[in-house]
Amino acid sequence: MPIADEVKQELMQVRRDARQLYSQDQVEAAIGKLAIQLTEDYSERFPLFVTIMNGGMIFAGHLLTRLDFPLEMDYLHASRYLGDTRGGDVEWIVTPGASLSGRDVIILDDILDVGSTLLAIVDACHAQGATSVKTCVLVDKVHDRKARPGLKADYTALEAEDFYLFGMGMDYKGYWRNAPGIFAVEE
């Protein structure tokens, strides 16, 4: 279905008006630091990295190619947004195909905002018998609305202000995941 002209105009206006929080180079440097930390922690453990689609896809692509040790990859798709800019209930779309039983699992996602989706995924991994479950996000959005007070990912590349963000996997109404850097929507 073709995209309406008014939607195209909105998308282009959002991109033009957005404030860049991190350049592509800054994001790459932060991912490099994460790769060093993950290599130190997991190079001898043969972990399973599970990427949350669609947001975590770009982050995973940039991170996993920097990890020079044996690892397995899988994905899942769960969302609270489904193309909207406000989150609802967690909806499971695809679950991992690999067995999580007895595995060290690292969940990769683009952003830790409220954290409801990430907490539900961590609980599901434990319920499937994972030995350990750690979370790794590109961006932690700083605010006081977390699903659990003080909620933090185990591994975080960058922190960002409490704006609607897009780029590097994060989307604006399903678009701009491909934006080179991290951008804040000025409302």
Side-chain angles (χ1 to χ4, degrees), residues 81 83-87 164 171-173:
Y81 294 90
D84 200 354
T85 57
R86 298 194 189 280
Y164 195 88
D171 72 292
Y172 177 82
K173 296 184 179 180

Side-chain angles (χ1 to χ4, degrees), residues 22-97:
Y22 295 101
S23 69
Q24 179 77 29
D25 289 343
Q26 290 170 312
V27 173
E28 293 293 343
I31 291 172
K33 289 178 184 175
L34 264 186
I36 292 167
Q37 190 175 6
L38 287 163
T39 298
E40 289 173 5
D41 294 349
Y42 286 94
S43 63
E44 302 294 323
R45 296 168 72 177
F46 302 92
L48 172 63
F49 282 81
V50 178
T51 302
I52 300 175
M53 303 301 274
N54 287 322
M57 178 175 28
I58 292 173
F59 172 47
H62 285 264
L63 174 66
L64 293 176
T65 57
R66 296 173 184 227
L67 303 178
D68 191 18
F69 57 86
L71 59 87
E72 189 176 3
M73 298 169 30
D74 205 337
Y75 70 96
L76 61 82
H77 195 167
S79 180
R80 293 182 55 237
Y81 294 90
L82 296 175
D84 200 354
T85 57
R86 298 194 189 280
D89 293 332
V90 174
E91 292 193 39
W92 291 90
I93 301 161
V94 176
T95 57

Side-chain angles (χ1 to χ4, degrees), residues 11-22:
L11 292 170
M12 297 309 293
Q13 188 68 44
V14 163
R15 178 67 172 89
R16 278 192 300 274
D17 292 347
R19 182 167 48 98
Q20 186 175 48
L21 301 180
Y22 295 101

